[in-house]
Amino acid sequence: MRQAGFVGHVSPTTGRPADRLERAGFRTHRVLENVARGYDARGIHRGLMGSPGHRAAILDQHVTTLGIGVVAEPEGGRSAFLVTELFVQEAALLGARALAAAPGRILEAHNAARGTRLLRESSRLEALAARAAARIFEEPTREVDAILDETLNGGPSLARELASQQVIFVAVGSVEAAFALTDVLTTSATIVGIGVAQGNRPDQPPNSVAVVVLLGWPR
């Protein structure tokens, strides 16, 4: 910012925060950045906390790691400071117990948000979703869509039981990040199966959490 004479997130020479992270070889599911200019640390921090957007980045519950850069530039008889705060999420490795509990936690969060339109857990849909989530990391070089199609359509047909079905997949950095999947909150489906797995793929950050939600509309 000092070299280019600006204060902002998009640099004319290095691009966006995500661009800078990618060039550095840092892969993450979540990137937040604060930038500021001021004359002392206390005043800069007070200004950031007084701005809703900057405060939200500082307090974001999914952030795990922070990097802060500060450079000075002369201004009259004093120094001004340019500050960059870069917030990212580095996914923690979950234990077997946490992974086993994850589908129930996600369903509980969705039902709490849905009010009276509760989703009922289906053991058959859950088994299919769990298998699909596991295969995403067991076959890391295959396209996710192909894995989902094979897993969900390669077994016993659901046509006799369901008038319709929908699959939602998301790769996130934590189980909590899946609590607010919009499609699950707004759907009219009545039954659901949720599968969760964790692992590594070349197209995802390390220790990614794969969440497969299989929604059903019974006949």
Side-chain angles (χ1 to χ4, degrees):
M1 291 190 292
R2 181 178 62 186
Q3 291 173 353
F6 80 104
V7 178
H9 299 288
V10 182
S11 165
T13 56
T14 64
R16 303 166 302 147
D19 298 327
R20 295 187 280 274
L21 279 170
E22 183 176 355
R23 279 194 299 274
F26 199 106
R27 305 174 70 195
T28 176
H29 286 285
R30 194 167 189 81
V31 181
L32 302 168
E33 184 183 70
N34 285 343
V35 296
R37 186 179 187 276
Y39 302 100
D40 62 75
R42 187 179 299 276
I44 291 170
H45 178 66
R46 186 186 305 116
L48 290 171
M49 290 299 285
S51 164
H54 295 99
R55 179 186 177 90
I58 293 171
L59 301 180
D60 187 282
Q61 64 176 331
H62 301 301
V63 162
T64 62
T65 308
L66 166 67
I68 300 177
V70 181
V71 296
E73 62 179 1
E75 183 182 287
R78 60 178 177 174
S79 292
F81 299 97
L82 291 163
V83 178
T84 300
E85 299 176 338
L86 191 60
F87 305 87
V88 299
Q89 180 185 37
E90 293 186 280
L93 190 61
L94 302 175
R97 183 175 298 180
L99 280 174
R105 294 182 62 207
I106 294 171
L107 179 58
E108 182 179 358
H110 291 331
N111 277 339
R114 287 168 61 92
T116 58
R117 300 179 300 108
L118 300 184
L119 285 166
R120 178 170 51 85
E121 191 172 28
S122 161
S123 58
R124 187 171 180 189
L125 294 185
E126 183 179 8
L128 287 171
R131 180 59 186 144
R135 285 186 64 188
I136 287 169
F137 298 116
E138 292 171 358
E139 305 170 42
T141 60
R142 294 196 62 199
E143 293 289 335
V144 171
D145 287 346
I147 292 174
L148 294 176
D149 287 342
E150 272 187 22
T151 305
L152 302 179
N153 298 319
S157 174
L158 298 173
R160 293 182 180 180
E161 301 176 30
L162 302 178
S164 181
Q165 67 188 62
Q166 177 187 1
V167 63
I168 299 169
F169 163 75
V170 63
V172 291
S174 67
V175 172
E176 292 77 12
F179 285 177
L181 285 172
T182 303
D183 290 344
V184 180
L185 299 180
T186 59
T187 181
S188 60
T190 57
I191 61 174
V192 66
I194 301 174
V196 179
Q198 186 176 38
N200 296 301
R201 288 177 55 92
D203 57 350
Q204 295 291 340
N207 296 332
S208 290
V209 178
V211 180
V212 176
V213 180
L214 183 56
L215 298 160
W217 286 258
R219 292 188 178 280

